[in-house]
Amino acid sequence: MAGCLINSVLSLATNLLPSIRASVQAPSSSSSNSNNSERGRARAFEEDLERLMRTLERIKATLYDAEEREIRDRSVKLWLKELKKVAYDAEDVLSEYRYEVTHVQLEARKTSEASGSHKRKKMEYIVQIPDGMVDRLKKIRSRFDEIANDREALHLRESDGVRRLNNKILRPPMGHMVDEANIFGRDAEINEVIDFLLSEKEKPFSVISIIGKGGIGKTTIAQLVYKEMKVTQCFDLFGWVCVSEEFDVVRLTKAIIESVPKAKNDSEAKNGLSECSSLQEELANSVKGKTILLVLDDVWNENQSLWELFRVPFKEAKLVRILVTTRNKKVADVMQTMTYFRPTNMPEDSCW
């Protein structure tokens, strides 16, 4: 969906803005023309990125209407195709800049460790913007402006994001509670998934995906695994989140903080967290040094960047096992699944 792609670009831009602003505001020697030049490029980059984000928010408000009309309206279909193409270009540019930020941060850390200073300091260095990147972002921003203007010509309606595609059947969100008295014929499969979860403990992070068509029992298997005593004894923290169509990193991070008891308790003193970076920092502090089992139920996301952004806080954990239910193997591949599990149809005697 185009909405997921636009959310990915917005999330990436939001997380990069602090680094860009720090480069604009970093002190420099008055005799350093190169530093002044870099600061000017950073300021231009910042202005174009902020304008781009405002444009994307306007486009985002019309996407639900556009995706409803895509099937029957060729001009809207072409508009969405162009939108996705430019969004991918924007994602590429921002990913390149994110690489530069990461590289500078690693070098600064090495320098700090070599000098024996382990105290965290406010970033006071300039992240150089690669040649041509300012012009590339400016062209992308101009193309997005044209796309935003075209939405008026197509008479696309703005939405609050609540409406969904009429041609999709949405299932209600499922929790981790399950009535075992009504479950038959899944013991062998449950034990197999548990073995996957508890094996290879030397790997700090792994994903196990349960893949299959709707109604085959993916969520039921996950529910029974989640409450199994052999599993609960092996992890410090547990979380269950129903994902569904839109892989909104901010919403999912909030949901995990609410789902994981320790994360919820630690965050009660901090009210009003809404920024992705603040929420992820809060979650990272809560899972630091812990073992955690997280179930992501009904995942549809095929965007690699969204997944990479989502998993950032879990790098602080000692051991992470993520159990995913999805209908699509491509989704499991994007999440870098270590083990794939496909439930079979129940035997006839269990069905009876």
Side-chain angles (χ1 to χ4, degrees):
M1 290 174 61
C4 289
L5 185 55
I6 295 301
N7 280 333
S8 172
V9 176
L10 281 169
S11 295
L12 194 53
T14 300
N15 281 275
L16 289 176
L17 266 178
S19 296
I20 300 170
R21 287 168 178 161
S23 295
V24 172
Q25 299 167 5
S28 65
S29 170
S30 59
S31 61
S32 177
N33 292 329
S34 60
N35 273 6
N36 290 333
S37 175
E38 284 296 335
R39 182 178 290 99
R41 294 169 67 185
R43 184 176 290 107
F45 198 74
E46 176 191 14
E47 291 172 354
D48 275 321
L49 187 57
E50 288 177 338
R51 182 172 170 181
L52 171 63
M53 292 171 70
R54 291 193 296 271
T55 301
L56 288 178
E57 290 292 352
R58 293 196 303 272
I59 292 173
K60 184 179 174 182
T62 63
L63 279 178
Y64 291 97
D65 185 36
E67 286 168 339
E68 284 180 350
R69 288 173 49 188
E70 177 183 10
I71 297 174
R72 60 184 183 273
D73 193 328
R74 179 174 174 79
S75 59
V76 175
K77 188 173 184 177
L78 292 173
W79 183 83
L80 282 169
K81 184 177 180 180
E82 176 65 13
L83 173 62
K84 291 175 184 177
K85 179 181 177 182
V86 182
Y88 279 122
D89 290 342
E91 193 174 47
D92 288 343
V93 170
L94 295 180
S95 295
E96 288 178 32
Y97 183 75
R98 181 175 59 182
Y99 171 82
E100 296 295 329
V101 172
T102 303
H103 178 71
V104 170
Q105 289 174 342
L106 288 174
E107 290 299 318
R109 188 177 303 167
K110 289 179 182 178
T111 302
S112 176
E113 291 174 354
S115 64
S117 173
H118 299 290
K119 294 182 179 180
R120 297 179 69 181
K121 295 181 178 180
K122 184 178 179 181
M123 191 171 77
E124 296 181 346
Y125 46 78
I126 294 178
V127 179
Q128 291 192 352
I129 298 175
D131 292 339
M133 184 170 285
V134 174
D135 290 336
R136 287 168 63 194
L137 184 65
K138 189 180 292 294
K139 290 178 181 177
I140 288 169
R141 191 258 302 157
S142 296
R143 288 166 67 190
F144 270 123
D145 286 344
E146 293 175 5
I147 290 172
N149 291 333
D150 288 342
R151 72 196 171 101
E152 297 178 3
L154 294 170
H155 305 292
L156 293 172
R157 299 189 306 272
E158 290 195 358
S159 160
D160 59 4
V162 174
R163 293 184 299 114
R164 293 287 186 176
L165 301 185
N166 293 330
N167 62 325
K168 291 194 176 180
I169 300 174
L170 302 178
R171 75 174 181 87
M174 304 290 287
H176 68 272
M177 304 293 290
V178 61
D179 182 2
E180 292 186 68
N182 295 321
I183 307 301
F184 303 94
R186 291 298 188 189
D187 292 343
E189 293 173 320
I190 291 165
N191 288 327
E192 190 174 350
V193 174
I194 290 173
D195 289 341
F196 289 149
L197 278 175
L198 302 184
S199 64
E200 298 180 319
K201 291 188 177 181
E202 71 280 359
K203 293 181 179 179
F205 187 100
S206 66
V207 178
I208 297 93
S209 289
I210 304 175
I211 308 170
K213 62 185 179 181
I216 200 170
K218 303 183 298 297
T219 299
T220 300
I221 292 172
Q223 288 170 328
L224 293 170
V225 168
Y226 189 78
K227 70 179 294 295
E228 177 62 42
M229 185 174 294
K230 286 192 296 185
V231 174
T232 59
Q233 291 174 341
C234 294
F235 296 92
D236 301 318
L237 303 173
F238 299 84
W240 180 291
V241 177
C242 186
V243 180
S244 295
E245 286 184 22
E246 187 173 4
F247 201 87
D248 185 332
V249 175
V250 171
R251 179 185 71 82
L252 294 177
T253 305
K254 284 182 178 180
I256 294 169
I257 291 174
E258 287 295 317
S259 179
V260 176
K262 184 180 186 302
K264 181 179 180 180
N265 294 336
D266 289 350
S267 64
E268 283 180 349
K270 296 184 178 181
N271 297 323
L273 289 178
S274 59
E275 294 293 335
C276 185
S277 56
S278 301
L279 287 164
Q280 288 196 318
E281 183 177 358
E282 184 68 21
L283 181 57
N285 290 334
S286 298
V287 303
K288 187 174 183 179
K290 303 291 184 179
T291 58
I292 180 170
L293 171 62
L294 177 65
V295 177
L296 299 179
D297 184 37
D298 193 30
V299 182
W300 295 72
N301 173 58
E302 298 181 7
N303 189 306
Q304 183 75 43
S305 296
L306 283 177
W307 168 243
E308 293 294 341
L309 178 61
F310 168 82
R311 60 177 285 182
V312 167
F314 299 102
K315 294 179 181 179
E316 299 294 331
K318 179 181 178 181
L319 180 76
V320 180
R321 292 292 178 265
I322 297 183
L323 182 60
V324 175
T325 71
T326 183
R327 304 183 187 191
N328 189 346
K329 184 177 181 296
K330 186 175 180 180
V331 171
D333 291 339
V334 164
M335 301 177 82
Q336 300 166 318
T337 296
M338 302 292 293
T339 304
Y340 299 87
F341 181 78
R342 294 181 180 274
T344 58
N345 291 322
M346 289 195 349
E348 186 174 351
D349 57 342
S350 295
C351 292
W352 278 111

